[in-house]
Amino acid sequence: FPVTIMAENMNYSTTSNARIRSIFGSRVAGMSDAQINQIKSTPESFGNAMYGGHTTIGRNLGNVEPGDGFKFRGRGFVQLTGRAAYAKASKAIFGDDRLVQNPDLVLDRQVGALVTAWELEDRKSWAGKYGIDYNNMTQEQANMLVTSKIAGTKVTRGRGYLGSLLTKVDAYS
């Protein structure tokens, strides 16, 4: 059956500045409307401004080089995100850095499937880190685990934008 593998859409060009402020909080807090308009003018500039190595979330994702925020945006069935995750997956799956060199490989169905299998295995270690029994977790724990893995940091319900996403994941599941 046809399955579309997605890359994270970083196009915020038509999103209101008020909405961007509500989503991205401290990362845009000191910016004027003109500055926000400038960064949202292209997906690349927006991704780099929000997830680059100068931001806490960008550093948590291992984005250290200029352009990493956009280059290592979420891709694949499970939205592999951040330079560190691409490097870890590439080393585990291929024994090299091909996913770092060409992140769009994750959009290939076969590679995307391999990344998904790796992610599921890697989540076992994340579950332990969060005090979750991987083999006996509740649906809400599974949702938190997957959302946190994609975000690159622990996501808790009702706390900020990521918390609101987790609430949506809970409702959807």
Side-chain angles (χ1 to χ4, degrees), residues 96-111:
D96 58 30
D97 69 346
R98 73 183 69 182
L99 297 179
V100 174
Q101 297 305 313
N102 184 1
D104 283 334
L105 287 173
V106 178
L107 298 174
D108 174 86
R109 287 181 189 194
Q110 290 179 330
V111 174

Side-chain angles (χ1 to χ4, degrees), residues 50-64 82-84 152:
M50 296 301 106
Y51 299 102
H54 64 284
T55 66
T56 300
I57 194 167
R59 285 188 301 277
N60 287 343
L61 293 169
N63 294 338
V64 295
R83 177 184 278 274

Side-chain angles (χ1 to χ4, degrees), residues 12-79:
Y12 285 83
S13 63
T14 61
T15 304
S16 75
N17 291 350
R19 177 74 177 136
I20 288 173
R21 282 189 171 85
S22 75
I23 295 170
F24 296 98
S26 64
R27 287 178 275 173
V28 295
M31 292 183 183
S32 68
D33 281 342
Q35 289 170 312
I36 293 173
N37 289 338
Q38 178 61 38
I39 64 167
K40 72 180 189 180
S41 65
T42 69
E44 293 84 359
S45 62
F46 194 82
N48 292 326
M50 296 301 106
Y51 299 102
H54 64 284
T55 66
T56 300
I57 194 167
R59 285 188 301 277
N60 287 343
L61 293 169
N63 294 338
V64 295
E65 300 288 330
D68 279 0
F70 180 76
K71 182 177 182 180
F72 296 105
R73 67 193 179 280
R75 287 183 186 82
F77 297 116
V78 291
Q79 293 294 286

